[in-house]
Amino acid sequence: MKGPPTALLGMSHDIAMLEERARRCRVDIVRMVHRAQAGHPGGSLSEIDLLVALYGTVLNVRPNEPSWPDRDRFVLSKGHASPGMYALLADFGFISHEDLTTYRVKGGVCQGHVDMKWCPGVDFSAGSLGMGLSFGLGCALAARLDGSQRKAWVMMGDGEVQEGSVWEAAMAAHHHSVGNLKAIVDVNGIQNDDFCEVQMQLNDLAATWASFGWSVTTVDGHNMADIVEALAKVDAVNDRPAVLLASTVKGKGVSYMENNPAFHGAAPNDDQFETAMVELGEVAA
Amino acid sequence: MSGMAATRDGYGKALLELAEDDRVVVLEADLGKSTKSQLFRKAHPERTISCGIGEQNMLLTAAGLAASGYVPFASTFAIFTERAFEQMRNGVARPGLRVHLCGSHGGTHTGTDGSSAQSIEDLAIYRTLPGVTVMHPADEVSTRLLTKQLVDHPSPSYTRTARNKTPLLYEGREDEVIIGKGIVHSEGADVGIVACGVMVSKALEAAEALANEGIHATVVDMHTIKPLDGALIDAIVERCGCLVTAEDHSVIGGLGGAVAEHLAANTPAPLERVGVPDRFGESAEAEEMLEIMGLTVQDVANAAKRAMARR
């Protein structure tokens, strides 16, 4: 199954189709968290449009051969936002929708935080913030040593970049001119306890990444057409590492979760769940 | 014993010898001159990755390489590996990625830099990580051989080397150096002395001193602290009925801790632990540090007598 070097979707640039996938994933995210009565819906809903566009139009991966050695790597460094990852993997056929019912359940492939030992299609065992970019750097350097064109993509949260180790990795990636390392920062403005602005100001993220020698692109993280275009731009950078700063809304798509720190790591109750299913177009009002 | 050499030199030589395996990559955190990984860097710069002074990034860059089919060897001072402990825990050990971490300049034997540079807890913390092999070889030869064996080792590892020269013990005995197997130096029936690292040669000297008093010791180089060679410990208990451990490391959680746990769970026997008491070091020459910490030949011999008295 040697396909072209991009895109899981035949009609990769059918924006409406990507949007529909993202909608379905949002439904699954809320279902998983509601069923488990635990988990992280806010950051899953903020990241999902980006993930769908990445897997749909850029990543060279094989759902039926998730460990294919020459696949592009994807690292969900914000590993607690696992419902988004699992929903995506199910929608693209890496795992089954039945598997989604195992989220946070004993013996399930969908561990609380994404885990490469448990779930097909997961490239790194995350869950401790600030680790994924370094791991992605190692994957990218390995590709270079192999003479392969494969790339490593790393999704981080904006609160996550408060971890100092992120900047060790950022500095090293530039030093080694690792053009096949790509980062996405899900800038939703909220972290565990409160808004980032309250917890630890992030200042000018674009200027900071640029000062570390990275190519910086910004995008509205919920405009699918813009995301597809931005990802292609980031993907094309090859002389230095590149980051996409995506402005997002935490909890996007579920009104009471949107921009609400309470839903960083909390599950909806039954009434809230019904509301979400209506708002996401899954059931009639 | 024929001559002296530093175990860190054995590490550097091993990397160089492993270079013919193109899966081997080396990562440094600005201490390659000290850990001796620079021997590899000079010969194979294309497979050597400078991580600057950034240990956390080094460990996980190594993890990414390991997940992509490479066999990374990362090194820095033992004390600075500890800064990346959680990376080792969550990003290396938990997914079981075969990253081989070497901490040089371990223990108080490191000397005059003082307490900030003297790791006395490294063996203890890495020993708590599931599936991580922990080693502290005694001489340059065994360090070289054990490091070379890591290239096909099925799990991640931590190896502590020392800054200063110690007696060569294994020239001509290379076949006896195997990961996970203690090396028996003598088989006396009065007391077992189980040592690692710089304390192995001290234990051998202590055994000679004891022999002059008619006390015959079994001396073992337990270079692999995890997995512990439990069968050998059991055999020593059966033969001698009491034990001494000797290490340039806290008495809490290192070789002494590992042996104590094994004894408690299997064949209880009197155990005296020679090691760094529950305190930090200070600036002094290597041998002076061993005196300050109670790690001299005489300290080991005295501990042997205490163990025998408790039998």
Side-chain angles (χ1 to χ4, degrees), chain B residues 1 49 120 156 296 298:
Chain B
M1 295 181 193
I49 299 158
I120 54 171
T296 65
Q298 190 61 50

Side-chain angles (χ1 to χ4, degrees), chain A residues 73 115-117 124-126 128 131 134-135 137-139 141-142 145-146 150 165 168-169 172 176, chain B residues 25 46-47 49-50 54-57 60-61 63-65 67-68 70 86-87 90-91 94-95 97:
Chain A
R73 301 302 199 270
D115 194 313
M116 66 193 287
K117 287 182 79 173
F124 180 55
S125 300
S128 177
M131 292 196 177
S134 295
F135 183 87
L137 171 59
C139 294
L141 287 168
L145 285 165
D146 286 346
R150 67 177 186 268
S165 57
E168 289 185 11
H176 293 289
Chain B
V25 290
E46 77 291 349
R47 275 191 280 150
I49 299 158
S50 167
E55 298 79 14
Q56 301 175 74
N57 180 53
L60 291 172
T61 301
L65 285 155
S68 305
Y70 287 87
E86 203 231 301
Q87 277 76 9
N90 263 329
R94 197 165 55 97
L97 296 169

Side-chain angles (χ1 to χ4, degrees), chain A residues 86-110:
Chain A
Y86 297 140
L88 173 103
L89 290 174
D91 206 71
F92 281 92
F94 288 85
I95 60 176
S96 70
H97 276 83
E98 184 69 22
D99 288 329
L100 298 184
T101 64
T102 72
Y103 174 57
R104 290 180 176 260
V105 173
K106 179 183 171 187
V109 299
C110 295

